[in-house]
Amino acid sequence: MSKCIIDGREVEFTPGQNLIEVAKKAGIDIPFFCYHPGLSVVAQCRMCAVEIEKMPKLQTACSTVAAEGMVVKTKSPRTAQNQKAVMEFLLINHPLDCPICDKSGECDLQDNSYRHGDLYSRYTEERRTYLDLDMGPVIQKNMNRCIHCTRCIRFGDEIAGIREMVALQRGNNTQISTVDGRALETDYAGNYADICPTGSLTVKDFRFKKRVWFLKKTSTVCEGCSRGCNMEIHQDANVIYRCIPRENMQINKYWLCDEGRFNFQYVNDENRVVAPMVNHSVSDWGLSIDQAKKVLMGKKIAVLVGSDLTQEEGSHLLEFLPKHFPGSPIFHFGTPGLNTAEKDGDADRILKRKSKTSNLHGLEKLGFQGFDKMPKEINAVLVIRGGRAILPDLKGLVAVGLGVFMAPQVEEFSVILPGTSFAEKDGTIVNYEGQAQRIRRAILPPGQCKGLSEVLMMWVNSKSSSGAA
Amino acid sequence: MGTKILSKKFYNEMIQLEPRYPTKVALLLPALHAAQDEFGWLSPEVMEEIGSYIGIHPAQVREVASFYTMYNLRPVGKYHLKICTNVACCLRGADELVSHCEKKLGIQCGETTKDKKFTIMEEECLGACGTAPAMMLNNDYYENLDVVQLDELLENLE
Amino acid sequence: MLDEFETLFIQHFNDNARSLAYYLEKMQGYTASKKALAMPQDEVISEVKKSNLRGRGGAGFPTGMKWGFIPKNSTKPKYLVCNADESEPGTFKDRDIMRYTPHLLIDGMVIGAHAIGANTGYIYIRGEYTREAKLLQVAIDEAYSKGYLGKNIQGSKFDFDLTVHRGAGAYICGEETGLLNSLEGKRGEPRVKPPFPAQSGAFGGPTIVNNVETLAGIPYIINRGGEWFSKLGKIEKSGGTRLFCVSGHVKKPGVYELPAGSVTLRQLVYGTCGGILGDKKLKAVIPGGSSAPVLTADEIDVIVDIEPLMKIGTMLGSAGIIVVSEDYCIVKLIRRITRFYEHESCGQCTPCREGCRWMEDILDRIERGKGREQDLALLLEVADNMSGKTLCALGDAAAGPVISFVKKFRADFEAHIRGAKCPNV
C-alpha cells in the first residue's frame, strides 16, 4: 500500500486516487464545490486547493493524484486563506437568501461558508443578477444563486447523455441554463438538483414544502423498476416530502431517475383507498373480509400477485393461498407485456429497467408464474399488490383487491382491503441481478391500511369460510 | 427536418473541411463562421440547423457560439464597425474615434442605426497596436486612423 | 551599440515576399524541411535544443525540450498546432510573419511535425486576422501543389496535412489548452493540467503547441545549425533574434527585430523607436504585453529578455512593449487593462471570474472619483487572492498588472481618491 502524509498523519491510498478521496478515507474533509466523485474533474471552484510540500503554488486536491511520500497540508494558513478567499469570491454575487431557499440546511455553499468563510463582506458593488427562464416541470432554476460549478452541465453530458444544460456567454456573465427556456429533456432531471451545491437548481415538487432539517430520513430502495436503486425517503409527521438517491456504487452510483424519485407521490395521493370498501362504501375490516369471502364463494378464482410485493409477503402468500384458495391458479403481474424475468432488460443506458416493479425477479425465484391471460374458466379474481404493479385488464370479472389502490382504478371491485405501500413496510426485494435488498418502513400506513400479514391473519380468523369452489 | 436554411455552398464547404478533422464537432467554429458569412448573424434557426448537421444538441451550439465575441447572436448593420479601444489604441486616441463615431451616426456602442446600415462596437485588442488606433469594418482592418480618415471612410459608405 | 546583423524576418516583411517563388528563390525555401526530413527525429530535436530557441508566445519555454516531451511509443495520432492567436494586447508580430512570410511558417511546421511524428497540423489563427488567414491559405495551397505539404513531402515518405483554423474572438484561446478546446469545437476554456498537451492534447492525442515566431525560426536552425542560431542571441539561454512589438507613445511604433538580449528597454524606446511622442517625459513601460507588471521610467535600464525582466519582477512575455508618456492617466490605463481581462476571463474558475470584475469595479470607481481610502488595500488583496490561484494564467495576467500599478504609482491612485479627479489631466 502506498502512503502519503496529510496534516502530519500517514495515510494509505490506492494509486490513482485523488487527494480529496484519500483525505476523506482518513477522516479529513477537504472542502469543495465543483468536484463530484461521479463526474469528471474540472478543478474550477478552487475551493479544494491545498498546500503540497515542494510545490510553489497551491494545488487543487480534486485534480491531484496522491503520490508516495507526498506531504499535504489541508489546514495550513495558506490553504485556509485560499478557502476564505474563494468563499468571499463566491458570495459577493450570491443573494444570501438562505431564509427562503429550499437548499438551506443541506447546502454546500452554506456549510462551507460557515466553516471557512469570513464573518463579514467587503463587497460594496452592485450584485450580479439574472432573469431566469423556465426549465420545465421538474427543476426550478435560480441563476442568482449559481456558483458556476458546472456539475449540472457535466451530469447532463456525462451521465444523462444529453448536453442540454450549458454555459452561455462567458466570464462574469456566464449563465448556466438550457437554451431559450427549453424544458429539460432527460428523465433524470432531479439529479440536477441533488448535485447542485447551492439552491440554484431545486426540485419544483419540493419547493417551499418543508425546511430540510425537519425531515426524517429512512434508507430504503426504490420500487420503480427491477434495478433496485438505493434511496432515502424524507418524511415529516407521516407525510413523505421527497425521495433522493443514496450512493450504491454497484447499483445506482449516485443517481436516481425521475420516475423513481417521484414514485412516492401515490403514497400520499388523495385518491388512495385508505379504508376497507365494500361496493364503494366505507366499511369496517371485519365486515369487509366477510364480504370478500362471500363475493368469492363458489367462484373459479384466479389470484393475481403484484411483483411489487416483498419476498416476505410472497412467501407468506405461498403458504396462505394453497390452503385458503386450493386449486386456484396464482400469477404474478406488474408490467404489461413483461410476464417473465427473462423478458426484463435495460430500458435505457442509465438506470431504468423494463420491469416496472421491484421484485419480479424475487417472486419468480419463489416460484410464482407470470400472468399471461385469464384462464377461460375463471370468473373471479383476488388481486394482491403494493402500489406499483400495473393491473391487467380484468374484463369485468368479480374482483377483490388487497393492497394499495387508487379509487378510479377499482370502480369495478367489489371489495377493497387497503394495504401498505413500499414506504410503509419492511421487507426484502431482489433486483434483476439477484441482489436482495431491504426496504424499510418510513411512515405508518395511512387511515386504516394494514400490512399483508395482518390482513391474512384476519382472513384466517374470520368466521366465514373461504370462498374457493 | 424541413427545408434547409443554409446554402449548398455552406454544405459543400463543410464536406470539404470534414476530412481535415478527426471529429465532426471540430467543424463547429468553421460552420458558425461560414453561416455568419451567409447571413451576417447567427439566428437560433441557423444554429439549430448547424447542430443537427454536426449531430450535437442545439444547446451545445449555443454555448460555443455565445463564448466567442465575433459571432453575432443578434443582427448587425450592413457596416459593422469594430473600433479597438484596448490599451495601445487608447493611448493613440481610440476614445476620440469612438465618441466621434457615436456622434456622427447618432448611436451608442453596441447599437445599430435605424436604417440597419451601421453597427458600432468597442473591440478588444485587434493585434494592430503598432499602427494604432485600429478598427475593423466588417472583415477588413483600418489602421493608423484619425478622425478625418474615419469621416472619409464613413462618407464613402453612406 | 549593435553590430550589424542579418535579420531573419524583417528584411522579408514586404508584400513581394509572400509568394512561393520568393521563398524558394530568396530564402532557400523548403530546403530546411527537405534537410530535416532526411534527419532522424532525435537529431532534429537536438539541433533545436542546441539553438536555445525559447518559445515566443509568452512563456519562453525551450522549444527543443518541449518537443522532447512527446511520448515516443504512443499509438495515438499526434498533432502539431501553431498558436497564431496573438491575443495579448500590445503584440502584433505574428501577424507580420503570417502575412509576409507564410511559407517560412509552413516550412517550420513541416520540420516540427516530423520531429514529433505528427501527420496533422493546424494553424489556430485569431478570428480577426481574416486577411492573414486567407494569405496563409493561399500559401498552403501553393505548398500542397508543389509537394511541400501533403503526402510524401519532397519524396521523404512523410505525410503532413496542414489546416488553417480560425478562432472567433476570445483572448483565452491563446492559452494552449483553451486553444485546443476551441480547435475541437468547444468553448475555449483552459483545461486542468496535468495531463499536459504533450501527453493528451488535441483530440486526445499527444500535441505540441508552438507560437508562430517560434516555428518560423525553425528553418533557419535546420539550415544554418542550432549553434549558429544560439550565437545570434547575446544573452545566456536565449538564442536567435527576437521580434519586439513597440506601441503606445513612441515616435516610431512597430515591429523590430534584434538579437535576443542585445538591448535595454531604454535603448529600444529612445534609440530604436525614436523616443517619446512629442518629446514628453516617460511615465511607464509595460514590457511584455498588457499582462506584464508595469515598469516606471526609472526601471528601463534593463536588458529586454526573459531573465533580466523576471529579475525585476516583470516579464518579457510576448515582447509587446507598451510605452506610456507622462500625461496619460495611469488609473485609466490600468482600469482599461483590467476591463480587458474581465472581458476575456472564460469564467470557469472562481477567483478569475469574480476577481476580475471586482477589480474592474473598484478601479472604475477610483477613476470616476468615487474611490475610498480602503480601496487600494482591498484591490491588492483581491489581486493577491487571484495570483497563482486560478486554473490558468489569466488570473495572474489580470492580477499582476493591478498589483504593480498600485504599488508603483500609488500616488496617482491616492490623488484620484483624495482629490476625486485625475492629477494629470
Side-chain angles (χ1 to χ4, degrees):
Chain A
M1 201 76 175
S2 314
K3 283 173 189 156
C4 63
I5 294 168
I6 304 180
D7 296 343
R9 283 165 53 190
E10 209 174 62
V11 178
E12 291 190 338
F13 66 89
T14 322
Q17 271 186 311
N18 69 51
L19 289 179
I20 289 182
E21 296 298 337
V22 175
K24 191 166 138 196
K25 244 183 153 180
I28 299 166
D29 274 332
I30 299 175
F32 57 82
F33 294 106
C34 69
Y35 175 71
H36 188 288
L39 303 172
S40 62
V41 169
V42 290
Q44 290 174 347
C45 74
R46 315 307 286 176
M47 187 66 186
C48 72
V50 292
E51 204 173 331
I52 299 176
E53 259 180 29
K54 291 184 198 142
M55 295 200 186
K57 288 182 183 179
L58 297 180
Q59 300 292 315
T60 43
C62 64
S63 65
T64 306
V65 173
E68 183 67 44
M70 189 180 254
V71 180
V72 182
K73 295 170 189 170
T74 77
K75 295 180 174 63
S76 71
R78 274 178 73 207
T79 308
Q81 167 54 29
N82 179 66
Q83 290 163 348
K84 200 169 110 177
V86 171
M87 283 317 309
E88 180 175 45
F89 281 136
L90 289 177
L91 292 181
I92 57 175
N93 280 305
H94 188 82
L96 301 171
D97 56 347
C98 308
I100 53 140
C101 178
D102 278 312
K103 197 76 175 188
S104 189
E106 55 178 11
C107 173
D108 292 350
L109 189 66
Q110 202 179 40
D111 293 346
N112 280 328
S113 173
Y114 193 82
R115 290 189 198 117
H116 306 286
D118 214 339
L119 296 177
Y120 62 96
S121 172
R122 301 182 289 180
Y123 192 67
T124 54
E125 322 302 326
E126 198 176 316
R127 273 170 213 268
R128 175 182 64 216
T129 53
Y130 300 87
L131 283 173
D132 286 312
L133 295 174
D134 191 53
M135 286 202 328
V138 182
I139 295 292
Q140 177 69 40
K141 187 170 141 235
N142 183 331
M143 186 62 210
N144 293 339
R145 294 175 184 157
C146 177
I147 58 166
H148 302 82
C149 75
T150 71
R151 277 183 184 178
C152 54
I153 299 177
R154 284 173 283 143
F155 171 80
D157 202 24
E158 297 163 13
I159 307 297
I162 179 167
R163 203 173 175 89
E164 57 183 344
M165 284 284 271
V166 291
L168 299 171
Q169 311 299 325
R170 72 179 186 209
N172 205 280
N173 301 320
T174 306
Q175 184 165 1
I176 314 291
S177 174
T178 59
V179 162
D180 299 335
R182 276 178 203 236
L184 290 165
E185 293 165 52
T186 179
D187 302 331
Y188 291 78
N191 297 286
Y192 285 127
D194 298 336
I195 59 172
C196 181
T198 77
S200 185
L201 302 173
T202 52
V203 171
K204 275 188 178 170
D205 182 65
F206 180 66
R207 205 166 188 232
F208 302 142
K209 294 265 171 70
K210 204 75 186 169
R211 303 297 349 203
V212 298
W213 48 84
F214 293 125
L215 295 169
K216 285 98 187 160
K217 299 167 183 179
T218 307
S219 291
T220 188
V221 176
C222 176
E223 64 154 359
C225 76
S226 59
R227 173 81 52 185
C229 294
N230 290 204
M231 68 177 196
E232 284 177 3
I233 292 175
H234 291 183
Q235 60 88 16
D236 182 48
N238 222 43
V239 176
I240 300 177
Y241 287 93
R242 63 174 182 181
C243 292
I244 63 164
R246 184 164 58 91
E247 180 183 325
N248 182 323
M249 291 313 285
Q250 275 70 50
I251 296 174
N252 55 305
K253 296 195 171 74
Y254 314 91
W255 322 118
L256 191 62
C257 74
D258 292 343
E259 193 177 338
R261 180 184 302 265
F262 299 118
N263 171 59
F264 76 88
Q265 287 166 336
Y266 78 81
V267 173
N268 300 336
D269 196 300
E270 56 180 18
N271 282 318
R272 178 170 168 187
V273 179
V274 294
M277 307 275 285
V278 173
N279 298 326
H280 309 299
S281 306
V282 173
S283 178
D284 80 10
W285 267 100
L287 289 173
S288 301
I289 287 176
D290 288 347
Q291 183 63 23
K293 287 181 177 179
K294 204 163 139 194
V295 165
L296 296 174
M297 180 85 75
K299 301 274 190 343
K300 293 267 184 205
I301 303 162
V303 184
L304 300 182
V305 176
S307 47
D308 53 355
L309 295 182
T310 63
Q311 290 300 81
E312 290 78 1
E313 289 170 324
S315 306
H316 204 154
L317 286 170
L318 285 182
E319 269 179 44
F320 171 86
L321 292 172
K323 272 191 218 159
H324 298 274
F325 296 88
S328 292
I330 305 167
F331 304 108
H332 70 69
F333 73 97
T335 311
L338 195 147
N339 57 3
T340 66
E342 213 171 43
K343 289 185 190 164
D344 192 15
D346 286 340
D348 65 18
R349 278 189 265 177
I350 311 168
L351 295 173
K352 289 186 181 187
R353 300 279 300 173
K354 287 181 186 159
S355 168
K356 291 289 172 201
T357 53
S358 57
N359 201 27
L360 167 67
H361 297 257
L363 288 194
E364 254 185 28
K365 271 193 184 161
L366 289 177
F368 285 91
Q369 301 288 309
F371 175 80
D372 187 16
K373 59 178 187 230
M374 204 63 80
K376 272 195 183 129
E377 70 277 12
I378 295 300
N379 54 14
V381 284
L382 169 62
V383 181
I384 307 168
R385 67 157 205 175
R388 181 78 190 158
I390 297 160
L391 290 174
D393 185 1
L394 300 179
K395 305 211 160 79
L397 297 175
V398 171
V400 169
L402 197 180
V404 180
F405 297 93
M406 300 301 132
Q409 291 173 333
V410 290
E411 278 170 359
E412 312 279 311
F413 280 47
S414 308
V415 180
I416 305 287
L417 306 171
T420 48
S421 74
F422 78 108
E424 295 146 3
K425 64 192 172 196
D426 291 316
T428 308
I429 54 173
V430 179
N431 84 348
Y432 76 103
E433 288 177 311
Q435 180 149 2
Q437 303 190 90
R438 298 285 292 167
I439 61 164
R440 291 193 175 81
R441 174 190 277 197
I443 54 170
L444 295 171
Q448 300 182 46
C449 296
K450 287 183 189 299
L452 183 69
S453 39
E454 193 182 347
V455 179
L456 297 185
M457 194 74 76
M458 289 173 80
W459 188 287
V460 173
N461 294 338
S462 148
K463 280 173 196 150
S464 327
S465 53
S466 267
Chain B
M1 243 289 352
T3 47
K4 298 251 193 297
I5 314 169
L6 288 156
S7 71
K8 215 171 188 152
K9 181 170 164 279
F10 170 90
Y11 284 102
N12 284 337
E13 205 179 320
M14 291 303 116
I15 288 162
Q16 293 237 309
L17 267 181
E18 202 180 325
R20 320 275 322 172
Y21 300 94
T23 65
K24 206 169 177 185
V25 184
L27 289 177
L28 186 48
L29 266 71
L32 292 168
H33 276 305
Q36 181 157 302
D37 285 346
E38 238 163 64
F39 298 100
W41 70 295
L42 298 164
S43 66
E45 295 74 30
V46 161
M47 287 189 278
E48 183 109 25
E49 188 172 318
I50 290 173
S52 72
Y53 171 68
I54 292 178
I56 53 175
H57 196 278
Q60 196 176 342
V61 181
R62 198 77 68 86
E63 73 168 344
V64 171
S66 69
F67 185 85
Y68 299 94
T69 51
M70 282 181 76
Y71 296 130
N72 304 322
L73 302 187
R74 274 178 300 172
V76 292
K78 184 178 171 199
Y79 301 110
H80 191 182
L81 296 134
K82 292 176 267 190
I83 305 169
C84 176
T85 60
N86 205 298
V87 189
C89 286
C90 254
L91 294 175
R92 289 278 184 159
D95 289 352
E96 213 186 323
L97 292 183
V98 171
S99 54
H100 182 78
C101 228
E102 286 180 337
K103 212 187 277 172
K104 191 170 175 101
L105 297 174
I107 50 171
Q108 297 286 307
C109 266
E111 293 176 351
T112 302
T113 52
K114 270 193 188 140
D115 59 5
K116 304 215 163 73
K117 239 176 155 178
F118 294 96
T119 302
I120 338 174
M121 280 182 191
E122 270 191 54
E123 189 71 10
E124 291 301 347
C125 185
L126 292 173
C129 325
T131 45
M135 90 171 191
M136 278 182 93
L137 167 56
N138 297 339
N139 280 331
D140 299 319
Y141 272 58
Y142 290 81
E143 296 163 67
N144 280 319
L145 274 176
D146 56 31
V147 170
V148 181
Q149 283 170 300
L150 182 64
D151 263 341
E152 266 174 42
L153 182 66
L154 287 179
E155 263 143 42
N156 284 333
L157 297 176
E158 277 161 338
Chain C
M1 157 181 94
L2 273 178
D3 300 331
E4 283 210 357
F5 74 101
E6 184 199 353
T7 59
L8 308 185
F9 305 109
I10 283 217
Q11 61 166 318
H12 306 292
F13 281 181
N14 62 72
D15 285 320
N16 303 319
R18 71 173 66 95
S19 70
L20 179 60
Y22 181 97
Y23 188 57
L24 294 174
E25 199 177 311
K26 299 279 169 63
M27 298 175 75
Q28 294 177 278
Y30 293 106
T31 55
S33 49
K34 186 168 176 105
K35 185 177 171 189
L37 289 171
M39 288 161 66
Q41 290 169 296
D42 284 346
E43 231 171 84
V44 177
I45 294 180
S46 100
E47 207 56 41
V48 175
K49 278 183 183 162
K50 262 189 250 166
S51 75
N52 270 337
L53 171 63
R54 298 176 70 167
R56 300 293 199 241
F61 197 83
T63 305
M65 199 194 290
K66 198 181 206 181
W67 288 5
F69 291 154
I70 286 282
K72 293 228 157 54
N73 44 11
S74 169
T75 52
K76 290 182 190 161
K78 296 168 188 146
Y79 298 95
L80 176 66
V81 179
C82 171
N83 185 344
D85 197 55
E86 190 153 73
S87 42
E88 183 68 29
T91 317
F92 44 96
K93 62 194 174 64
D94 295 340
R95 181 182 176 212
D96 280 354
I97 294 178
M98 290 187 284
R99 62 177 163 168
Y100 297 128
T101 60
H103 285 288
L104 192 61
L105 173 61
I106 298 168
D107 206 357
M109 286 196 77
V110 173
I111 298 164
H114 163 61
I116 64 165
N119 299 113
T120 311
Y122 299 96
I123 300 174
Y124 184 97
I125 184 170
R126 59 176 303 168
E128 292 85 353
Y129 285 172
T130 41
R131 177 159 177 267
E132 289 70 20
K134 276 184 195 141
L135 294 173
L136 273 174
Q137 192 57 54
V138 169
I140 287 173
D141 293 344
E142 277 182 313
Y144 265 104
S145 72
K146 301 288 184 211
Y148 299 121
L149 276 176
K151 294 254 174 289
N152 189 22
I153 294 173
Q154 303 197 60
S156 64
K157 299 203 172 110
F158 178 70
D159 303 336
F160 183 58
D161 280 310
L162 184 58
T163 304
V164 178
H165 188 93
R166 288 178 62 211
Y171 166 78
I172 197 59
C173 294
E175 198 279 348
E176 61 179 2
T177 57
L179 183 155
L180 294 175
N181 271 341
S182 183
L183 176 64
E184 291 181 14
K186 301 173 185 161
R187 292 162 67 82
E189 292 166 346
R191 301 173 180 174
V192 194
K193 283 155 278 188
F196 291 94
Q199 275 85 50
S200 174
F203 310 104
T207 302
I208 292 295
V209 183
N210 285 137
N211 165 263
V212 174
E213 186 189 345
T214 311
L215 287 165
I218 300 291
Y220 287 105
I221 292 169
I222 295 302
N223 268 339
R224 304 197 197 174
E227 212 176 304
W228 171 84
F229 189 89
S230 169
K231 282 185 180 153
L232 287 178
K234 301 297 171 213
I235 189 169
E236 218 189 329
K237 290 197 276 185
S238 238
T241 62
R242 240 183 204 294
L243 293 175
F244 295 98
C245 319
V246 189
S247 63
H249 297 142
V250 287
K251 288 182 183 162
K252 293 188 287 181
V255 178
Y256 295 95
E257 182 175 2
L258 294 163
S262 64
V263 284
T264 63
L265 207 43
R266 183 179 300 279
Q267 287 165 332
L268 198 59
V269 171
Y270 285 96
T272 316
C273 297
I276 309 297
L277 207 60
D279 291 318
K280 287 188 180 146
K281 259 172 70 185
L282 177 66
K283 175 95 182 182
V285 180
I286 301 169
S290 67
S291 63
V294 69
L295 296 173
T296 63
D298 301 331
E299 294 177 296
I300 60 167
D301 292 303
V302 57
I303 296 283
V304 202
D305 207 73
I306 299 168
E307 265 80 23
L309 284 168
M310 204 191 288
K311 261 186 211 149
I312 61 164
T314 181
M315 60 187 195
L316 177 62
S318 52
I321 296 158
I322 306 165
V323 180
V324 188
S325 74
E326 58 185 334
D327 55 356
Y328 199 83
C329 173
I330 272 307
V331 177
K332 182 175 172 178
L333 187 65
I334 185 61
R335 186 196 67 92
R336 185 62 190 81
I337 292 173
T338 306
R339 192 182 105 186
F340 171 71
Y341 292 106
E342 192 279 331
H343 184 261
E344 301 299 335
S345 167
C346 80
Q348 60 172 338
C349 88
T350 307
C352 182
R353 178 186 62 245
E354 305 297 337
C356 285
R357 174 71 65 87
W358 196 358
M359 290 195 305
E360 191 203 340
D361 284 348
I362 297 169
L363 286 166
D364 186 56
R365 253 189 311 108
I366 295 173
E367 200 210 340
R368 284 188 288 111
K370 306 268 184 204
R372 291 179 299 241
E373 285 291 332
Q374 65 271 34
D375 276 345
L376 294 181
L378 177 60
L379 200 52
L380 289 175
E381 271 188 56
V382 172
D384 194 50
N385 285 340
M386 296 168 66
S387 296
K389 301 180 184 79
T390 50
L391 196 149
C392 78
L394 199 145
D396 293 308
V402 170
I403 294 171
S404 71
F405 270 82
V406 173
K407 286 192 172 158
K408 292 183 179 176
F409 297 101
R410 196 172 184 105
D412 292 66
F413 288 87
E414 283 170 349
H416 275 80
I417 291 169
R418 291 177 191 157
K421 64 178 192 328
C422 181
N424 290 332
V425 186

